[in-house]
Amino acid sequence: MAVTITDVARAAGVSTSTVSYALSGKRSISPDTRRRIDEAITSLGFIVNAGARALATSQTMVIGLLTQFHADEFAPAMLEYILPVSDTARELGYDILLVTELDSVAALRRVTSSGMVDGVVLLDVVHEDPRLATLRDAAQPGALVGLPKHTEGLDVFDLDFGESARLLVDHLYARGHREIIVVSPPLHVFERGGAYGWRFRDAALERAARYGLQMHPYYGESRQPEIGRSINAMLDARPTATALIVHNDATIAALPSVLTARGVSTPDDLSVVSLYAKDFGRAFSLPYTAVESSPDELGRSAVRQLVRRITSPDLAGPAVTRFVAPEITDRGSTR
Amino acid sequence: MAVTITDVARAAGVSTSTVSYALSGKRSISPDTRRRIDEAITSLGFIVNAGARALATSQTMVIGLLTQFHADEFAPAMLEYILPVSDTARELGYDILLVTELDSVAALRRVTSSGMVDGVVLLDVVHEDPRLATLRDAAQPGALVGLPKHTEGLDVFDLDFGESARLLVDHLYARGHREIIVVSPPLHVFERGGAYGWRFRDAALERAARYGLQMHPYYGESRQPEIGRSINAMLDARPTATALIVHNDATIAALPSVLTARGVSTPDDLSVVSLYAKDFGRAFSLPYTAVESSPDELGRSAVRQLVRRITSPDLAGPAVTRFVAPEITDRGSTR
DNA sequence: CTGAAAGCGCTTACAG
DNA sequence: CTGAAAGCGCTTACAG
């Protein structure tokens, strides 16, 4: 059926091992032989069988991408992580096995134990992530996007949410705001162990306390019409608040229409700052000053580190936990 | 390193072939032998090596998912297709190789010729899709989401965009509207050969002509601030139009805030109908009566048909082109 | 500079 | 009901 290395060898009048070495460049080949092999390869349209190569080399050149989609989650932001992971992997010669199974522990076990992948990237890592035990048992290395409670022996990449919160509070404080509402991710994110929720909130509250400013924390919602209702309820309850910090994708996406409907304009009536990826902001036409959440950089770093572990486990050094430094993009939504 | 079938055979005191048959159930095994094998498997934690099995059976149990991300595209809707494809594949025992390469012809060639996949699902198929020639040459079957010019020999799944347009025009016509603006996907979608653009628009125009109503076609934009500007320009240019048909994700997502900013309320000042997936509408809090674009049903159907072709090529019958019948969800945005 | 052969971990006719 | 052996398509010591 498909063209094999044996077909190429026959056409070029050499042995299969010579073809293999020509392919890998692991030993020198005479110019003439090389030319005949190259011709045979192109004329036959030969492409190495991935499974056979994997079996012989114990390398699949595939990276597993483990995602966790929750029914109650705001999906649009997910792709921002998947795409850079996939693109970076390909640049480094790897394909992506996308694993979206609900039972992600079993899924992780399955793809690692069956030898389908050379390594895995875990997205949406939570505080006590049940996948980590499986990952530690696996023969392949893994890289995490999201900070778990225990990071020993794992390469971890995440935004510095604490610092992000402090930056935003400082930004507002410097502009004279003394009463601020902070909208966190939905309660179920906290319950699930999404540490970014409290890392951001606690840092914001702590900073506020230090400055002696009033800060009102709320959980956001993830679906309409609850989102709109909850925003209105917060604003009604805190009429004297002059600024809003939104750490919640679904809420920030809905905010423009809710505020316009209320007749509230930004920044004249209310200052707003947030945290989201620029592409996300573009998709939702968001005009807010915000910390860049950097899914692109996180995804790319995770893959690069993972590939380093795969290809040169000895040189890759000890496990790293790397926090992306937050950067504010000022879009003029504060005064 | 990893546990192999040989380890299991040794532990159970049988041959590897017996273990293999116990695994596949392709021949009867004595109860006692079966028990010893099962015990060995669980105690050793054996999971079949996927590459070795693939080499022996010529079946990888992996489906390639070929996507095309364009820099000028509105990304949030993409995941709505990816997820159902992935979930359905897994239900049927397949994993997903996610291929996001820009050069998707080369990518398709690579994953099929290397035998990495048993079949492929092509997303975002355009009118003269360059991937189709490669697909027809491939040893593996493929299923398309999106209607190309030539469908011979291919399984194709798409929404019936013509009927969708007619449904929406009828809906407005029945409510007395006689001058309507229709917003198509951006010009670059047409140029790229996104047939859904003109299939919808042409059907809408034809229907309008038949009813003798005025219809003004426009291309939408895909990014801010052009989106907002273009909507305002259309409404300024057609002050007497009473309804808007929006066949454009980026435009419909931005519409609520643009209309509110203009002081236009729906449906009192302007009736609006559109076409989008319900999850998309939920994410963007869209309140419009719309045809459901059914990414879920399309993705699931494509995978099911593909798996049928993979597992029983003889029983699967001739190639099919299947159009999902459009259904309107009335959200009260017309009068 | 090149080839014959073993081996990667499975499956499956062939034999009994 | 079970086993020994060939073969899937590669890679890589081993030999020359």
Side-chain angles (χ1 to χ4, degrees), chain B residues 15 17-18 27-30 33 55-56:
Chain B
S15 71
S17 55
T18 299
R27 74 182 186 192
S28 48
I29 310 279
S30 78
T33 305
L55 188 57

Side-chain angles (χ1 to χ4, degrees), chain B:
Chain B
M1 188 87 235
V3 181
T4 72
I5 201 174
T6 308
D7 300 324
V8 175
R10 193 179 307 127
V14 296
S15 71
T16 60
S17 55
T18 299
V19 176
S20 178
Y21 283 116
L23 248 27
S24 66
K26 287 189 180 171
R27 74 182 186 192
S28 48
I29 310 279
S30 78
D32 183 54
T33 305
R34 155 132 276 146
R35 191 186 44 69
R36 295 208 315 278
I37 291 176
D38 287 346
E39 282 176 11
I41 287 176
T42 49
S43 79
L44 295 173
F46 170 73
I47 290 191
V48 176
N49 181 284
R53 173 174 278 180
L55 188 57
T57 62
S58 301
Q59 287 219 94
T60 63
M61 300 309 285
V62 173
I63 288 173
L65 177 55
L66 282 277
T67 62
Q68 309 211 72
F69 290 95
H70 304 283
D72 51 9
E73 199 152 306
F74 191 67
M78 204 66 223
L79 208 56
E80 314 228 289
Y81 290 88
I82 295 179
L83 234 39
V85 166
S86 172
D87 290 342
T88 310
R90 193 83 276 284
E91 286 163 20
L92 299 173
Y94 289 81
D95 275 294
I96 288 293
L97 195 76
L98 178 69
V99 183
T100 61
E101 261 169 287
L102 283 183
D103 185 349
S104 53
V105 173
L108 178 55
R109 174 104 213 293
R110 186 170 59 78
V111 299
T112 53
S113 298
S114 66
M116 298 186 83
V117 299
D118 292 339
V120 292
V121 171
L122 267 50
L123 253 37
D124 299 304
V125 172
V126 295
H127 200 53
E128 301 196 346
D129 201 301
R131 299 174 296 182
L132 300 191
T134 305
L135 178 57
R136 289 192 164 95
D137 281 350
Q140 301 94 332
L144 319 191
V145 176
L147 178 68
K149 184 175 175 188
H150 299 293
T151 60
E152 298 87 63
L154 300 172
D155 289 319
V156 179
F157 299 84
D158 206 357
L159 181 67
D160 189 336
F161 283 95
E163 187 58 23
S164 301
R166 287 187 286 273
L167 268 181
L168 293 174
V169 173
D170 289 356
H171 183 90
L172 292 174
Y173 184 73
R175 282 159 183 74
H177 296 278
R178 296 298 178 262
E179 184 178 359
I180 302 173
I181 294 172
V182 58
V183 185
S184 291
L187 181 58
H188 60 72
V189 168
F190 284 75
E191 289 171 342
R192 196 187 294 137
Y196 62 94
W198 63 76
R199 280 159 59 205
F200 184 97
R201 185 199 56 193
D202 295 352
L205 289 172
E206 191 188 359
R207 196 69 154 197
R210 187 166 132 190
Y211 290 157
L213 54 79
Q214 264 192 291
M215 181 161 289
H216 309 295
Y218 288 92
Y219 295 113
E221 297 286 341
S222 51
R223 327 193 128 200
Q224 289 290 16
E226 291 82 3
I227 300 171
R229 270 209 291 270
S230 72
I231 298 173
N232 280 311
M234 295 170 208
L235 295 176
D236 289 343
R238 308 297 180 182
T240 50
T242 59
L244 201 56
I245 300 179
V246 181
H247 176 213
N248 181 316
D249 284 346
T251 296
I252 199 68
L255 195 63
S257 54
V258 175
L259 290 187
T260 318
R262 266 181 92 91
V264 171
S265 72
T266 298
D268 292 347
D269 305 326
L270 185 72
S271 289
V272 176
V273 295
S274 187
L275 186 164
Y276 52 75
K278 60 182 174 324
D279 284 342
F280 181 87
R282 179 141 22 79
F284 287 89
S285 309
L286 302 182
Y288 307 116
T289 293
V291 165
E292 165 63 37
S293 62
S294 308
D296 205 274
E297 189 179 341
L298 288 167
R300 298 196 87 85
S301 306
V303 172
R304 281 204 213 94
Q305 177 71 0
L306 178 62
V307 169
R308 226 171 284 137
R309 289 247 176 262
I310 292 171
T311 54
S312 35
D314 305 328
L315 302 179
V320 301
T321 292
R322 219 165 272 156
F323 291 107
V324 169
E327 278 178 40
I328 283 194
T329 303
D330 194 329
R331 299 190 178 87
S333 61
T334 58
R335 53 179 287 159

Side-chain angles (χ1 to χ4, degrees), chain A residues 2-25 29 31-49 53, chain B residues 109 113:
Chain A
V3 181
T4 73
I5 201 174
T6 309
D7 300 322
V8 173
R10 192 179 307 125
V14 296
S15 70
T16 59
S17 56
T18 300
V19 176
S20 178
Y21 283 116
L23 247 29
S24 66
I29 310 279
D32 184 55
T33 306
R34 158 131 274 147
R35 190 185 45 70
R36 295 207 314 279
I37 291 176
D38 287 347
E39 281 176 12
I41 286 176
T42 49
S43 78
L44 294 173
F46 169 73
I47 290 190
V48 176
N49 180 283
R53 172 173 280 180
Chain B
R109 174 104 213 293
S113 298

Side-chain angles (χ1 to χ4, degrees), chain A residues 275-288:
Chain A
L275 186 164
Y276 52 75
K278 59 181 176 324
D279 284 343
F280 181 87
R282 181 142 20 81
F284 287 88
S285 309
L286 302 181
Y288 307 116

Side-chain angles (χ1 to χ4, degrees), chain A residues 154-171:
Chain A
L154 299 173
D155 290 318
V156 178
F157 299 85
D158 205 358
L159 181 67
D160 189 336
F161 283 94
E163 187 58 23
S164 301
R166 287 186 286 272
L167 268 182
L168 293 174
V169 173
D170 288 358
H171 183 90

